[in-house]
Amino acid sequence: MTIQSVRIFEPANAFSQTSRRSSPKPPPRIWQASDPPFKGYQPAPSDGYKQSSSSTAIVIDNGSSLVRAGWSFDKAPRLSLPANVARYRDRKLNRTCMYVGYDAFADATTRGQIRSAFEPGSSIVANWDVMEGILDYTFLKLGLGGVEEGIGRPVVMTEPIANLGYSRKTMTELLFECYSASSVAYGIDALLSYRYNKGKNGLVVSSSHSATHVIPVLDSKPVMSSVSRLNWGGYHGADYLLKLLRLKYPTFPGKMTESQAQEMVRDHCYVSQDFDGEMRNYLDWTGLEDRDHLIQYPFTEHVVVEKTEEELAKIAERKKESGRRLQEQAAKMRLDKLVRKEQELEYFKDLQQRLVNQTKKEIKRLLDEDEFKDETQLDRTIKELEKSVRKARSKDVGGPDNPEEEEEQTFPLLDVPDEQLDEAGLKQKRHQRLMKSGVEARARAKVEKAQEKARAAEEERRDEARRQTDLNGWLEGKRAARAASEDAYLQKIKERDRMKADLGNRKSLASQMRMKTLANLASDQPGRKRRRGGDDDNFGANDDDWGVYRTVQTGDQSEDEEEEDLGAGLKNIEAQLLQYDTLFTEHNTLEAQSDWTKSLVHAFLRGPRPFDPESQKEAHQIHLNVERIRVPEIVFQPAIAGLDQAGLVEIVAGIINQRFTAVQDRDALLKDVFLSGGNTLFQGFDERFSRDLRSVLPVEAILSVRRAADSLNDAWRGAAQWAREPGFTAVSVTREEYSEKGSEYLKEHDRGNPAAV
């Protein structure tokens, strides 16, 4: 048999011909785990700089997820890249290489050195070296790389609500001092998107990568004193999904990355219209094929090259012949061992007879010759040998099947003195003594079996009497007995699996003990029982000896019988509980719990199909089911993720009902509720938000909810539109004003933060 390791990237919606024939269900739809988002070489659109003039602004949407940049006359951003930079030292070139944006995902070396410009989970710039690298790359791609005197253009940049003064101050210094911008203006991304979508009076709900904000706008001016924030965004949702999957699959062999989690949230999650009801029935088998999404990671499959029928027949014949020889050798060795034990037993019994009427000194001398400490040890050895001989004779030689034949057996030589017998007669007498011992042992076993049967019948009668007199107490006892039996049974199965795994390791204790047993079986030195320190063998020291080990079946028959007894006892108790306990149903039995078609855990982990633990393909699969609605629900119920904040609907209702008491203001806000940001793009978000908000508003209130035409790029388009307006220069901070009033100087306008927050 030849095993080949093959790296497989399963194509989407692929399945084997075998599974198509054997399974009545349609094949599952498979989504492939995304690769690192490396896009290769992207040519720089350098024509923009030639079309621009000194008054043409450079527009940068400085988002914590993606940085978008372009010229103010563009209809869409020319650049869109992650706010990441990777630096590492190339020893061959003896220089430091820097990769920006998607280029940082080029290979494993660069991916290991990725640093973000923003603090994780926030929109605050924390690494200014990375930010400077992103701006260098941005201006270079816009065609400004060869301008020695700086960019010489106005810069419009977005910033978060209530941006830190230090962050804005540092950014202003960077743009003026490092890049020689002619002027700088800052605007809030959500307000820019709202103005681009022709909003004047309304409520802006912006759920972006780092946070969710609710901004009331009246007469085109934001009411900053009534702005509320929910510390949950797209980053937190992807991070939460990643934690859920790592808890769900703690031993998953693949590597789940943050970018893959973001793609799963974007492509597979949706907002439930009835979260509690859908969560209760989400793992029901009806329709689970559609609700369960399967993500396939790359895997290495072991392909077994099958042999021809003729080769398989020869191998089977060799195995059969080898097994037959081994069985014959084992039977011969067992018989030889039985004969040796019988000889030892006869010798020790004769020694025991010779000790009668001897002096203490003579007794000690006779015992020392055979390495016995005292007569007690001799008696114990005789009893152990009798037990061993009886067991071996019953197993290998067997007794008569007909009890009448056993009763008819006579042993006349046992009454004849040894002095009256010759050598042959003495040998026959010893044989009759052994046969009589076997007959007596079987008779005792028969009596013990009858006594055990009577005891079991009496115990069953008492159990039935207790059930009739005290049913509740009887049920409690049965439940406790079932719990104990189930624990013992499951523990036995775990021990068996652990033993099976240990036997595959040559250095494990179980494997060493098995080899010791094989060494004893393979020893061909007949004689007396081995004593301490003598007769050691080296079977198993050479690798060739392990060929014998591989042909011997693993496992312990006694352990298997004990496991079967535990299983039978557990089934008997469960049958009684099913008959008399109304609270105990078929679903509570161990068999039902072990059946994957009835297991809720199996549906949660492996979906609606059986799982093969030996398949590398299935081991590298992730099933998204309840996570699809659980992650987006946190915006409405933050307590699910342990967030001590009100949900989005409660925040909006608090702003409308408590902070705006004037009816005209409240009506103006509700008539235009504007949704913006990538975290609002979930399927069903609009309907769920409108329905939940409608339930907490006054009956007479008119509610109208709309979303941005392009929730991802409208903030950039709004900034570009703003830069083209005639009044833009009045709200920009020029280089002269920066030199005169300092980097903290800021002009207030209706699209940005106030000067003092």
Side-chain angles (χ1 to χ4, degrees):
M1 182 177 65
T2 304
I3 298 179
Q4 298 177 345
S5 295
V6 181
R7 187 70 169 175
I8 297 178
F9 295 86
E10 190 71 16
N13 302 331
F15 59 98
S16 64
Q17 296 292 334
T18 303
S19 64
R20 180 185 290 135
R21 291 193 300 266
S22 61
S23 176
K25 293 183 179 180
R29 181 181 178 184
I30 299 177
W31 286 266
Q32 299 301 314
S34 61
D35 295 327
F38 175 63
K39 295 188 176 182
Y41 173 72
Q42 301 292 323
S46 58
D47 59 327
Y49 179 72
K50 298 177 181 179
Q51 301 175 18
S52 67
S53 63
S54 59
S55 60
T56 305
I58 299 173
V59 183
I60 301 175
D61 180 10
N62 194 25
S64 57
S65 174
L66 292 175
V67 176
R68 301 174 178 88
W71 298 95
S72 58
F73 53 75
D74 292 329
K75 295 182 179 180
R78 292 175 177 247
L79 297 177
S80 181
L81 63 150
N84 299 327
V85 168
R87 288 190 179 95
Y88 78 97
R89 186 75 178 176
D90 193 320
R91 296 183 178 180
K92 293 182 179 179
L93 300 177
N94 194 24
R95 60 184 297 181
T96 300
C97 302
M98 183 175 71
Y99 296 83
V100 181
Y102 293 109
D103 295 343
F105 297 94
D107 56 26
T109 304
T110 57
R111 290 196 295 270
Q113 302 296 326
I114 287 180
R115 299 294 182 268
S116 175
F118 294 88
E119 184 179 347
S122 75
S123 54
I124 304 300
V125 179
N127 193 326
W128 289 100
D129 291 337
V130 173
M131 191 72 247
E132 184 176 352
I134 294 172
L135 292 176
D136 287 342
Y137 182 85
T138 300
F139 295 139
L140 179 66
K141 288 294 184 179
L142 291 178
L144 298 169
V147 182
E148 297 180 357
E149 62 274 11
I151 61 176
R153 299 290 189 275
V155 174
V156 181
M157 183 174 289
T158 62
E159 66 175 2
I161 296 178
N163 189 21
L164 298 179
Y166 170 78
S167 180
R168 185 189 300 115
K169 169 179 172 293
T170 308
M171 180 64 74
T172 302
E173 293 176 355
L174 187 64
L175 292 174
F176 279 121
E177 300 293 343
C178 186
Y179 299 104
S180 300
S182 60
S183 65
V184 174
Y186 299 100
I188 298 173
D189 51 0
L191 295 178
L192 292 170
S193 176
Y194 184 58
R195 292 294 291 273
Y196 180 77
N197 286 271
K198 298 179 173 55
K200 183 177 180 182
N201 295 289
L203 194 67
V204 179
V205 178
S206 173
S207 186
S208 59
H209 184 70
S210 57
T212 300
H213 291 92
V214 180
I215 312 170
V217 179
L218 293 174
D219 296 330
S220 300
K221 294 182 179 180
V223 185
M224 301 302 293
S225 60
S226 298
V227 173
S228 292
R229 169 190 174 99
L230 173 63
N231 295 322
W232 191 268
Y235 168 84
H236 305 90
D239 184 64
Y240 183 64
L241 177 63
L242 200 59
K243 291 178 181 177
L244 290 178
L245 293 178
R246 286 171 178 170
L247 286 174
K248 187 175 182 178
Y249 302 100
T251 60
F252 187 69
K255 182 179 181 181
M256 295 178 282
T257 63
E258 183 180 341
S259 61
Q260 292 171 343
Q262 291 177 358
E263 182 176 349
M264 291 179 196
V265 172
R266 182 176 62 250
D267 297 343
H268 301 282
C269 293
Y270 66 94
V271 174
S272 173
Q273 303 303 314
D274 180 16
F275 177 75
D276 294 335
E278 190 170 355
M279 181 65 81
R280 282 193 297 269
N281 303 320
Y282 206 93
L283 294 177
D284 289 349
W285 292 99
T286 304
L288 185 58
E289 293 87 351
D290 299 328
R291 294 190 297 271
D292 185 80
H293 284 198
L294 194 154
I295 312 298
Q296 181 69 63
Y297 277 71
F299 61 96
T300 300
E301 189 69 87
H302 297 290
V303 181
V304 179
V305 181
E306 297 185 358
K307 298 181 180 298
T308 62
E309 294 184 0
E310 183 179 356
E311 292 174 335
L312 292 175
K314 291 181 179 180
I315 293 173
E317 185 63 27
R318 287 199 299 267
K319 287 184 177 180
K320 185 177 180 180
E321 181 64 22
S322 177
R324 186 185 62 79
R325 289 198 302 267
L326 281 174
Q327 290 177 355
E328 292 178 355
Q329 293 176 3
K332 181 178 180 300
M333 285 188 288
R334 285 197 301 269
L335 289 176
D336 293 341
K337 192 174 182 180
L338 176 60
V339 172
R340 290 197 300 271
K341 287 183 178 180
E342 290 175 348
Q343 292 174 354
E344 288 185 0
L345 180 60
E346 183 70 21
Y347 174 79
F348 290 145
K349 284 185 176 181
D350 181 65
L351 175 61
Q352 193 177 41
Q353 292 294 330
R354 284 188 287 133
L355 295 179
V356 179
N357 299 327
Q358 296 288 342
T359 62
K360 292 183 178 181
K361 185 176 181 181
E362 184 64 18
I363 291 174
K364 188 175 185 308
R365 185 186 66 79
L366 293 174
L367 292 175
D368 289 342
E369 287 180 356
D370 291 286
E371 301 181 4
F372 286 110
K373 184 188 294 184
D374 50 23
E375 293 185 61
T376 304
Q377 185 180 1
L378 176 61
D379 294 338
R380 185 166 58 251
T381 303
I382 292 175
K383 291 180 180 179
E384 291 176 355
L385 281 173
E386 287 178 343
K387 182 178 179 181
S388 179
V389 168
R390 185 165 59 251
K391 183 177 179 181
R393 188 184 297 121
S394 175
K395 181 177 181 181
D396 295 328
V397 179
D401 296 333
N402 190 357
E404 295 181 358
E405 295 180 3
E406 184 177 345
E407 294 176 359
E408 293 176 357
Q409 291 183 2
T410 59
F411 310 100
L413 293 179
L414 297 181
D415 299 329
V416 180
D418 293 347
E419 293 81 6
Q420 300 179 10
L421 297 175
D422 55 5
E423 187 66 27
L426 290 174
K427 185 176 181 180
Q428 185 66 20
K429 182 179 180 180
R430 287 194 297 269
H431 179 69
Q432 290 185 4
R433 184 180 291 113
L434 291 175
M435 293 297 295
K436 183 179 179 181
S437 299
V439 171
E440 292 175 351
R442 286 191 290 272
R444 288 195 300 270
K446 185 177 181 181
V447 172
E448 292 176 357
K449 186 176 181 180
Q451 292 176 351
E452 179 64 23
K453 186 176 181 180
R455 186 193 63 79
E458 178 64 19
E459 185 176 347
E460 184 177 354
R461 185 191 65 78
R462 292 178 181 177
D463 187 69
E464 180 66 19
R466 185 186 176 193
R467 183 188 65 79
Q468 294 177 357
T469 56
D470 183 14
L471 180 60
N472 292 332
W474 182 82
L475 288 176
E476 289 295 331
K478 289 297 179 182
R479 291 173 188 142
R482 178 189 174 277
S485 299
E486 183 177 3
D487 293 342
Y489 182 69
L490 295 177
Q491 184 65 28
K492 203 68 181 176
I493 292 177
K494 290 181 180 178
E495 291 179 359
R496 181 195 63 188
D497 295 340
R498 181 181 57 81
M499 180 68 71
K500 183 178 179 180
D502 288 345
L503 286 175
N505 182 10
R506 290 180 55 175
K507 296 183 179 181
S508 64
L509 179 61
S511 183
Q512 293 175 6
M513 294 299 296
R514 186 165 183 80
M515 283 304 302
K516 185 177 180 180
T517 303
L518 289 173
N520 292 333
L521 290 174
S523 177
D524 56 355
Q525 297 180 4
R528 293 174 53 193
K529 184 178 180 180
R530 280 191 258 176
R531 299 297 177 188
R532 290 188 299 270
D535 217 14
D536 291 335
D537 62 87
N538 59 354
F539 182 83
N542 300 323
D543 289 339
D544 295 339
D545 297 336
W546 285 85
V548 179
Y549 169 76
R550 297 187 185 97
T551 60
V552 179
Q553 182 180 1
T554 60
D556 191 343
Q557 186 66 24
S558 62
E559 292 183 358
D560 294 340
E561 293 176 355
E562 184 179 356
E563 182 179 319
E564 292 177 2
D565 294 341
L566 289 172
L570 179 60
K571 288 184 178 180
N572 184 31
I573 296 174
E574 289 180 343
Q576 292 177 335
L577 288 174
L578 287 172
Q579 184 177 359
Y580 299 107
D581 191 356
T582 57
L583 301 178
F584 191 84
T585 63
E586 290 285 351
H587 297 287
N588 301 118
T589 61
L590 180 63
E591 183 177 359
Q593 295 174 2
S594 303
D595 186 3
W596 70 269
T597 60
K598 301 177 182 178
S599 173
L600 188 66
V601 176
H602 180 92
F604 176 62
L605 294 176
R606 305 300 175 186
R609 290 172 174 80
F611 174 67
D612 182 10
E614 301 297 331
S615 172
Q616 289 297 315
K617 176 182 177 181
E618 296 185 21
H620 285 76
Q621 290 176 351
I622 286 178
H623 292 261
L624 295 178
N625 34 63
V626 296
E627 298 85 4
R628 297 181 60 204
I629 62 174
R630 185 175 181 178
V631 173
E633 184 67 20
I634 298 174
V635 175
F636 300 94
Q637 300 184 55
I640 294 177
L643 200 62
D644 189 16
Q645 284 188 266
L648 178 60
V649 175
E650 287 80 0
I651 292 175
V652 173
I655 292 175
I656 296 296
N657 296 328
Q658 298 178 14
R659 301 185 185 182
F660 292 90
T661 57
V663 178
Q664 63 274 18
D665 292 343
R666 185 191 65 188
D667 292 343
L669 294 177
L670 292 177
K671 286 180 181 179
D672 187 16
V673 179
F674 179 76
L675 302 180
S676 177
N679 204 39
T680 64
L681 295 178
F682 291 115
Q683 176 187 347
F685 188 94
D686 305 24
E687 295 81 358
R688 170 70 180 279
F689 177 77
S690 301
R691 190 199 65 192
D692 289 2
L693 183 58
R694 176 76 268 179
S695 64
V696 296
L697 293 177
V699 178
E700 68 278 4
I702 300 175
L703 177 63
S704 175
V705 179
R706 68 184 178 111
R707 67 167 55 253
D710 185 351
S711 296
L712 300 178
N713 294 321
D714 277 0
W716 185 91
R717 291 190 178 97
Q721 183 187 57
W722 181 38
R724 295 193 299 267
E725 293 180 0
F728 170 71
T729 56
V731 297
S732 300
V733 178
T734 63
R735 185 171 185 83
E736 292 75 14
E737 291 173 332
Y738 164 76
S739 301
E740 178 183 354
K741 300 178 181 180
S743 58
E744 297 181 358
Y745 177 65
L746 176 69
K747 292 182 180 180
E748 293 188 4
H749 51 84
D750 56 6
R751 293 178 176 87
N753 288 300
V757 179

